[in-house]
Every structure is written in structure tokens, then in C-alpha cells.
Amino acid sequence: MAGTTALPLEQFIASLDNTCLPRILQVCSGVYFQGSIYEISGSEVCFSTGDLIKVIGIELVSVCCENISNDEKFELPINHTGLFKVVPETMPYNTIEEMISLRPVGLESCLPFTFTNHSKMTFDNFTLGAGRTLTVISTEQHEGQEDQVRCHVKGQQGASAEVCIPLSFQGEFSECENEERFTLQEIMSSPCLRSRRFHFVNTTKCEQPLVLSPVYQVHAIMNLRKNILKFPSSLEVDVVDVTEVCKDVNFVTPLSLTEVLSQPDESFPSVVEILERPQTRSLFKCSWLPELNRNSHLVFHKKKNTPMVLLSSSKSRKAQQYFLVSEQYGGRFRRRPREFNSVYEVYVASIQAPGLKVSVTRNCEDVEEEGLPSLSVGEQLQVVRCDRMELPCTGSAAQKQSVEALLCQRLQEPDDEDDDDEEEEVKQENEKEEIFLPLYMPGHFVEVLSDNKKYKLRDLGKEFSLPLDVKVVSRDTEIKTDPLFGLASLRIEGAMLEPTIQASLPDSPDHCFEIPTQWISMSVSFTKDPLPWPSDQPPKCHVDRVTEVTDTFFYEFHKQGNPEEAPPPRPPKGNLSSTKSCKKSKKSKADKSKERADKSVPTKKIADLTLNSKKRPPAPPPPPILDDQPPPIVPRKHSVDVTKGKALPNTYVQREDPKKKAALCDVAADVDSDHDYETVDESLMAMMKTAQENVQFF
């Protein structure tokens, strides 16, 4: 087929077989609205003008039946069980060979068949008149002679004869309708039969002649399409075969990082091109992530499964940090005691570390109604097991509540050697004292450790259960700036076996980093670019072993590890007995307050005069003057004018009215007349007056 001839896709695919594949086609025409879009079995296929399609396979799936009389079309599956008969052609054939060529490829399988001659035939001294019916029995081939067909001819009086007719014999021949029946598989397997018309046998579905054409499912690839496209050959698009022109075109196949892991080991190392930048930039805080942009290149060295651990720094004034660390980290760690803020946290830790010992870091008062014992700072407890305890209650047995609690042993330090033997025995008994701590009880504890050994990161995961608090005491010497060294405390949150790809940037192929494929989503394609180093001198790679991640990564990691983690238990609801006991305690407190009130009756008036009382009683009225003698009047000093000193008058002293003062003087005069008092010496009065006059000048 000419490379510049445009054909409908259906016609072009029908002319192909799997032996001539692959073929490259170019879309050149069709019905388009921003691309020709077809939705097939839930998947959308889009072809635009100029697109290149590389056909890599075809599969026959159905047959399209077209009614010639009304152009009606319908499809039948290829495994349809109905049979079809050939409709004789109305146009006569010019030669026997032309008529035979339109029979199925396996001619012997469809013999005999009948035809009629419309003109007189003469060969080998044998003449047949026009309108005779001949039945082809077989074909004969002889060396050095022309191929012939052996035909059976019936005479007028029942006589019959066999004649051999050369294939090149010319005349006018037409087929007779015969009883040959074909399935869809047989019709589609013969190019000659596909060009014939058929009708159904023994059915009333369609009595009109039908043109049968195959419908293939085309398997193809396109540039920047990840999966193999599958679409029917009946799409109304015209294509051109450009295989010879575009045989060097490279069809890029995008691959996700998980698909890169499925590539064979022989594909590494290789240079890849980034087609889609990572979509999870919020999960990582690293220097190489901003370099992963579209159309940039990376070197993929190898793929592997890397053991990693997730570390978190302690909560402090600074923002909390999280790190994804490879187990190849060369630093040394030392264990640190863990801190717990509730009994439930101690219980969770004791599941993974039986015999856990903790020390109380904050006093806790006992609450008898809730079953909370008293704890003192410095007390050491050893977890025994998780059990149930009954809350103390004054009610009936049916009202008692049972809650989950942690059974612990009190551990006390041994006393001095000077203590008596009896006291030592009592201490030993106290050492075995067992107490119940309800799981809902708040508290502050710290783990008791006696281990001062240095560990590698891989050894910590083998010897201890996680989570585990540690501190880096010696840095990794292969890292220029170790971000873990210098942090006050680190917690190993969990461990994982992460599939990673060891990669590097082309300008620094010896500085490698590990890309966790399950946490970064990006698309790449393998290229044929040469590696950025001599073929016989591969670089010595230094891999980053510490990658800082965000809190989003931390939370997503915990979701995967504990998707349905149970919340800590709640305290029990208050029962009737506890409420009664509370009421009794309130009543007792009220009684005590009454007793105290009775004892403080003599001081009640004094208490009313204090500022603590809400309603202060009014001030008592001034007592009436019962004495006839008025109180002595102190003579005023002739001081400077009040306005000059800017002194305000005393508003808290009650001033007497001048009229009332005059009346008092009259009363005093009357009283003096009735009583005899000693008279003051005039010399003394003069001396006092002189002294008062001298004082006012100071």
C-alpha cells in the first residue's frame, strides 16, 4: 500500500495480519472537536490530527453486518452460531478462473458448486449449448499443462458426462445458488468470501443480502501514553501508513516509580527524564527534592529494599523535627528514659517491655471514690500485669464498678546498715507492696534505666521494642553535617523495609540519595543518553543516610501502622454511692462550719466591721451630751491662709453649726452658775496665751 494513500481505519486494519506488524499510522482526517474522543468500555481514547499510532497487534472480536437495501448496520460476535449462504452475483464472470478465484481459499472444502453458461462452449471436440448447468467437482493440475476444472454435465434425456474446462476459457458465466453454508469464522478467514454477500439460513431476522466486514480490536501505543491502547477498528478516522518514514521515531512510555522497580536489573544504571514532577513535596524536607523538575534528568543507579527507621525529636521550644534514617547510619546511640504522662502510656509501653520500671516525678493525691492511690516523687514502680479492680463504694454489691487497672509493685531503696533488723523486715515487706493504678489515672512517670551502653541503629531495632528514646553520642563521620548529632533526645517511632531507587543528579553522579517509591509520586521515562562518567570508571557513590521529613509524613506513617488504634479508657461514671458519700462529706463540712460559727459568736460584731462583709451596717449616731460641762475647746492656731497652702478641708470631721455652738455656750454659762469649779489663775492664762502666739511663728 502506498505510504501517502489515506484509507479509513477499518479498511486499513482489515488488510493487515499479524505477520506484517508493527505498523506506524498517522491520523489525517476525521470528525474532531478538540480531538476525536471515543469512550470505549469506560476508557476514553483521543485522536487528534497528526497523532502517530503504532499498531502492535489486532484481534478479531465481532462482525459488522450491513443491510444493502437500507444501510442498516448491526454487529454479531465472532462466535455467533448462525450459518450463512452466499448470494449469487448478478454480474456474469468472463472466465472460469475469475469465478473460481472468488471461492474460499480451501477450494476442495467447498466443492461441489454449480454455475451456468450463457453462451455456447466448444472444447476438445465437445460442444455445450447456452443455458446449461455445470457442477464443478474438482480441480486438476498437470505438469506442462494449464490447470483445469472437472465439471459434471447432465443431458436432456438423463444422460450425464464429465468434461474438463481450462481456467482461461472465456465466456459468460454466472453462479447458481447452492446449499453451501458458512460460519462467521469461515467467512472472516477467507479474503475472497469477505468480498461476497450473504444472507441468513433458516431465519427471518434479515432476508436481505448482507455485507459482512470484520471488526478488530486494535492494540497500539502512542507517545507519552503509559498503557497499551485498545480501540475498535470501526472508528471513523482516516489514516496514512508512515512506517517507512517514521521508523526511527521513539515512542516514549511514561513509568511511575513503582513501575521502574519492576524493570530488570540490566536496565540500571540509566539516565531518565522526568515527565511529571513529584506531587508530594509536603512530605519531605531535603536538598534534592527541589531539583526534580519537569524535563530535567536523573541517573538511576540501582533499585533495592532499604531498611529505614523514623525518628522524631523531643518537643521543645523549637519546632519538632522528623527524620527518615537508613540503618546504615554510622553514628552511635545511647538509650534515654522515656517519659509518660498517664498510666495508660505506661501500660502501652509495658506491653512491649515486660517488667517495665518507672519512677514517679510528680506527687499525686489519693481520691478514694475513683480508686486513685497516692504517689510521691521518687517512688519506683514495677509493672506486673493489667488486671481489673473494684472501685471502693459504700453501696450494695450490685452498684460496685470494675475498671481496668495496672498492677504494680512499689520498689523502695534499701535503708542504711545502722537500721534495726525489725525495721529491715518491715521494709522488705513494704518492697513487695502491690497497688492498682487505673488506666485512666493521670500521672507523671519516667522510665528507670540501668543501661549505659552505646548501640548502632541496626542493633537497637533487634534488641529493643519500639518506640524507644535515644540520643546520638557520636556522629556519623561520613556525613559532613550530621543533623541528628546535638539533638537533646530522639524517639525511634518505627521501622520499615522501604523499596527505594538510588539516584543522583547528572552533574554530581557520586552524591547519591535514596528515593522512597511509596512516598513520592512522579513519572519518568528511560532515555538513551550516555551515562555521565567513563564506561570503565564508575563513580564511588556516597549515599545520604538521613532525610528530613515533615509532620505530614509522620502522621501518614502512623495511620498505616495503627489504622484503628484504641483510645485510652475514660474514667467511670459516678454511681449512687459516690454521690451519697459526696453529699455526706458536704453535710459534714456544713456541720463543721456551723460549729465554727457558734464558737465565733463573740467576734461576730467585730467581723461585721471588717471590709470582708458585703453589707456594712450604718455608723452609730453620736451619743447625746448628758454632761452639763462642755468638752474643752482647743484654741485654733492663726495659720497661713488655707487657699495658699491648697489644703482641702477635712470632710470626715463633722462641723458644728455656729448657731448650735452659740447655744452650747449659753448652756455652759448656765451650768457654771450652778456648780463651783476652781478658777484658773490669770498669770497662767497669760503665759499660755504668750506661748500660743510664739508657736504660730514657727
Side-chain angles (χ1 to χ4, degrees), residues 60-65 74-84 181-190 193-194 198 200 210-214:
L60 183 63
V61 292
S62 62
V63 177
C64 179
C65 305
F74 59 92
E75 287 192 11
L76 295 176
I78 192 61
N79 56 357
H80 180 68
T81 57
L83 299 177
F84 297 84
R181 293 173 174 81
F182 303 95
T183 63
L184 287 180
Q185 288 278 11
E186 294 173 342
I187 297 172
M188 293 297 106
S189 62
S190 172
L193 283 179
R194 284 207 300 262
F198 297 85
F200 286 98
L210 300 175
V211 174
L212 305 182
S213 56

Side-chain angles (χ1 to χ4, degrees), residues 32 163 300 302 426 563 574 603 668 698:
Y32 304 104
V163 294
F300 281 179
K302 58 182 177 179
V426 173
T603 61
F698 289 92

Side-chain angles (χ1 to χ4, degrees), residues 253-477:
T253 302
L255 299 174
S256 64
L257 294 183
T258 55
E259 292 172 339
V260 172
L261 293 176
S262 63
Q263 300 298 314
D265 295 337
E266 293 76 14
S267 302
F268 302 93
S270 180
V271 179
V272 300
E273 181 182 357
I274 300 177
L275 303 178
E276 293 182 8
R277 59 188 299 182
Q279 301 176 359
T280 54
R281 292 182 178 269
S282 60
L283 296 181
F284 294 87
K285 292 181 179 179
C286 47
S287 59
W288 49 264
L289 188 61
E291 302 293 333
L292 306 184
N293 297 315
R294 187 176 180 181
N295 299 328
S296 60
H297 289 77
L298 286 176
V299 179
F300 281 179
H301 293 264
K302 58 182 177 179
K303 58 177 182 176
K304 60 179 180 177
N305 292 325
T306 306
M308 291 185 171
V309 295
L310 180 62
L311 302 181
S312 64
S313 64
S314 60
K315 297 179 180 178
S316 59
R317 294 180 179 178
K318 296 182 180 180
Q320 193 172 8
Q321 294 177 287
Y322 307 93
F323 302 93
L324 195 62
V325 185
S326 171
E327 284 193 356
Q328 301 298 324
Y329 176 77
R332 296 295 186 271
F333 295 84
R334 186 173 288 159
R335 294 184 61 195
R336 285 184 57 86
R338 290 174 288 180
E339 296 182 359
F340 309 103
N341 295 323
S342 66
V343 176
Y344 181 76
E345 293 182 7
V346 178
Y347 162 67
V348 173
S350 66
I351 295 177
Q352 300 177 349
L356 178 67
K357 295 181 181 180
V358 296
S359 176
V360 181
T361 58
R362 189 177 297 181
N363 293 332
C364 180
E365 297 181 357
D366 61 331
V367 181
E368 185 177 357
E369 292 82 2
E370 298 182 5
L372 305 181
S374 62
L375 299 175
S376 301
V377 175
E379 284 187 342
Q380 292 189 6
L381 306 175
Q382 183 175 8
V383 179
V384 179
R385 66 178 181 274
C386 183
D387 207 338
R388 299 193 70 86
M389 63 172 289
E390 290 186 356
L391 297 180
C393 176
T394 58
S396 60
Q399 295 177 344
K400 293 183 178 180
Q401 292 191 16
S402 175
V403 296
E404 288 185 332
L406 201 61
L407 178 61
C408 300
Q409 270 188 347
R410 290 185 190 267
L411 302 177
Q412 297 184 359
E413 297 180 357
D415 295 335
D416 298 336
E417 297 179 356
D418 298 336
D419 293 342
D420 298 332
D421 296 339
E422 294 180 358
E423 293 180 359
E424 289 181 359
E425 293 178 359
V426 173
K427 293 296 181 182
Q428 291 178 359
E429 292 179 0
N430 291 337
E431 288 177 0
K432 298 181 180 179
E433 180 185 358
E434 294 182 346
I435 59 173
F436 281 99
L437 303 179
L439 295 186
Y440 54 80
M441 175 181 175
H444 297 272
F445 310 90
V446 65
E447 186 178 9
V448 177
L449 295 178
S450 59
D451 184 11
N452 201 27
K453 182 181 176 182
K454 294 182 181 179
Y455 296 91
K456 293 182 179 180
L457 186 58
R458 67 172 71 95
D459 298 333
L460 287 172
K462 295 178 182 178
E463 299 185 20
F464 305 100
S465 56
L466 303 180
L468 187 68
D469 288 358
V470 295
K471 176 180 174 62
V472 178
V473 293
S474 60
R475 59 183 294 271
D476 190 347
T477 57

Side-chain angles (χ1 to χ4, degrees), residues 50-222:
D51 284 349
L52 294 179
I53 306 171
K54 187 175 184 179
V55 180
I56 59 176
I58 56 176
E59 179 185 358
L60 183 63
V61 292
S62 62
V63 177
C64 179
C65 305
E66 181 181 0
N67 190 341
I68 300 176
S69 60
N70 56 9
D71 296 334
E72 180 184 356
K73 293 183 179 181
F74 59 92
E75 287 192 11
L76 295 176
I78 192 61
N79 56 357
H80 180 68
T81 57
L83 299 177
F84 297 84
K85 291 176 63 175
V86 178
V87 176
E89 293 290 342
T90 57
M91 294 293 293
Y93 300 101
N94 295 324
T95 61
I96 298 294
E97 184 178 9
E98 183 183 0
M99 182 176 57
I100 294 296
S101 63
L102 294 179
R103 307 303 299 170
V105 176
L107 183 60
E108 299 294 336
S109 62
C110 63
L111 293 178
F113 74 93
T114 307
F115 66 94
T116 303
N117 66 326
H118 298 284
S119 60
K120 185 172 68 171
M121 301 175 60
T122 302
F123 44 85
D124 294 341
N125 299 323
F126 187 81
T127 302
L128 288 176
R132 303 296 296 269
T133 301
L134 294 86
T135 301
V136 179
I137 301 174
S138 64
T139 59
E140 295 183 358
Q141 296 178 353
H142 301 281
E143 292 184 3
Q145 296 183 5
E146 185 181 1
D147 294 343
Q148 297 177 344
V149 291
R150 183 175 292 275
C151 300
H152 180 77
V153 183
K154 289 185 178 181
Q156 295 180 353
Q157 298 179 356
S160 61
E162 292 183 1
V163 294
C164 291
I165 306 174
L167 294 180
S168 60
F169 190 87
Q170 296 183 353
E172 290 186 4
F173 310 97
S174 61
E175 286 182 292
C176 297
E177 185 174 356
N178 51 44
E179 298 301 322
E180 292 179 89
R181 293 173 174 81
F182 303 95
T183 63
L184 287 180
Q185 288 278 11
E186 294 173 342
I187 297 172
M188 293 297 106
S189 62
S190 172
C192 297
L193 283 179
R194 284 207 300 262
S195 62
R196 301 297 300 271
R197 294 177 298 169
F198 297 85
H199 62 79
F200 286 98
V201 177
N202 299 327
T203 181
T204 57
K205 183 176 181 180
C206 182
E207 297 180 355
Q208 300 296 327
L210 300 175
V211 174
L212 305 182
S213 56
V215 177
Y216 294 91
Q217 186 179 54
V218 182
H219 298 244
I221 59 176
M222 294 183 66

